[in-house]
Amino acid sequence: RLADRISGVFVPVVIGLAILTVVGWLVATGDVSLAFSSAVAVLIIACPCAMGLATPVSIMVGSGRAAQMGVLFRTGAALEGLGEAQVVAVDKTGTVTRGQPEVTDVVMAEGERQMAEGELLRLAAAAESSSEHPLARAIERAAAAFPSSITHHPSSFEAVPGYGIRATVDGKRVEVGAARFMAQLGLPLGELGTQADELAARARTPVFVAVDGKLSGLLGVADPVRDGSVQAIENLKAQGLEVAMITGDAQATAQAVAAETGVSRVLAEVLPEGKADAVTGLQQGGRSVAFVGDGINDAPALAGADVGIAMGTGTDV
């Protein structure tokens, strides 16, 4: 834009000078050949080729090389803005981690021993079958390992963004989600709350399952750190950038992943609509923030950041 603004004034001025040169030499010498060669000399010497061509060419080469590596820039301004970023904020699931979680722990609530682990997983998997969240796929895979694996789709389904899901399976009301979802439902966690804290300390995401208004069990879901995440974060920090993690996961889980990857600042238990506010907070003091996210729920933060870096399904927006 700067080159275009300058060229918009500079080029007409240079052409005007060239015309004056032709007229001046014709008046002074009457030599048409000398007059036109002098005008051409003015055009060649004054032409801002380096300014006019260097930036577009460098953007073209840089974006072309990036495209070969699977990185697409929507505009040259995005490329320019990325170079000015001071803070890189990253989502956790599917960004720092692989986004391919697996159920590692199944803990039954006291008084629910009559319900087998396979039945708890079957109900949870059936309820999650209409969800697009990566954790839903993990629960379905875990349920498939039992003979009584998922057999019915829910007759009703409702997603509660940032909390969990609610569905009706075989006539039973099933609610699956985070601890704050259980709190919203008025269900005390009891001993399962302690178990959840222990799972979170081991970088497991605690997922609670309630059946017919009664807390029935807890699932621990692990999502391994993506290959290259640690090196990428080290590279960013070596360039003097601050790296922050913004996630809806539990504080303990997020801290465990941050400790493993070297992330210096953690904003955990952030609801989807709160991610954009978290980005605004990081922008305080005039700092430029690049946000990296992989999902549709990251759209507000991707749009609110100075530069949005979308991965996976995040590219849809």
Side-chain angles (χ1 to χ4, degrees):
R1 287 197 299 269
L2 177 61
D4 287 344
R5 285 202 302 270
I6 295 174
S7 297
V9 176
F10 192 84
V11 172
V13 169
V14 170
I15 291 175
L17 288 174
I19 293 172
L20 288 175
T21 302
V22 171
V23 173
W25 280 103
L26 282 174
V27 171
T29 66
D31 188 335
V32 176
S33 177
L34 177 61
F36 274 94
S37 64
S38 298
V40 170
V42 170
L43 286 174
I44 292 174
I45 294 171
C47 181
C49 289
M51 180 185 69
L53 295 177
T55 299
V57 168
S58 60
I59 289 176
M60 182 177 66
V61 172
S63 58
R65 178 73 183 113
Q68 292 176 342
M69 301 170 72
V71 181
L72 304 179
F73 289 90
R74 284 192 60 241
T75 64
L79 180 62
E80 188 175 22
L82 189 60
E84 298 171 354
Q86 297 166 290
V87 181
V88 177
V90 297
D91 176 45
K92 183 183 79 68
T93 304
T95 303
V96 173
T97 61
R98 293 178 185 173
Q100 298 175 333
E102 297 295 335
V103 174
T104 57
D105 302 84
V106 180
V107 183
M108 303 302 296
E110 290 293 333
E112 293 292 332
R113 302 303 182 189
Q114 72 276 12
M115 181 186 292
E117 291 183 3
E119 177 66 7
L120 180 74
L121 282 168
R122 185 187 74 82
L123 290 172
E128 291 278 11
S129 63
S130 297
S131 172
E132 297 178 352
H133 199 283
L135 295 184
R137 304 290 81 77
I139 295 172
E140 285 183 318
R141 287 192 293 271
F146 290 85
S148 58
S149 60
I150 177 172
T151 54
H152 299 285
H153 287 289
S155 55
S156 68
F157 175 84
E158 178 190 2
V160 185
Y163 288 85
I165 60 100
R166 180 184 292 113
T168 302
V169 180
D170 295 343
K172 298 179 180 179
R173 189 175 85 252
V174 181
E175 283 136 340
V176 185
R180 55 178 171 266
F181 190 28
M182 299 300 112
Q184 186 185 76
L185 297 172
L187 301 178
L189 300 183
E191 180 61 27
L192 287 185
T194 303
Q195 298 273 9
D197 291 339
E198 293 176 359
L199 289 174
R202 294 189 287 129
R204 303 310 196 246
T205 298
V207 179
F208 294 89
V209 182
V211 179
D212 287 334
K214 188 176 182 181
L215 188 60
S216 300
L218 167 69
L219 308 178
V221 185
D223 188 7
V225 170
R226 185 188 293 273
D227 295 338
S229 285
V230 175
Q231 186 61 53
I233 291 169
E234 287 180 358
N235 291 345
L236 291 170
K237 292 167 69 175
Q239 294 180 45
L241 296 168
E242 178 185 351
V243 181
M245 180 189 295
I246 304 176
T247 177
D249 240 331
Q251 183 73 36
T253 305
Q255 290 288 358
V257 173
E260 182 179 352
T261 57
V263 172
S264 52
R265 184 173 179 181
V266 176
L267 302 173
E269 300 181 19
V270 180
L271 297 176
E273 60 269 23
K275 288 187 176 182
D277 295 332
V279 168
T280 301
L282 292 172
Q283 290 171 324
Q284 295 297 319
R287 296 194 301 175
S288 179
V289 176
F291 180 79
V292 190
D294 84 308
I296 297 296
N297 63 335
D298 294 322
L302 288 167
D306 296 281
V307 180
I309 304 173
M311 301 167 59
T313 56
T315 58
D316 293 342
V317 294

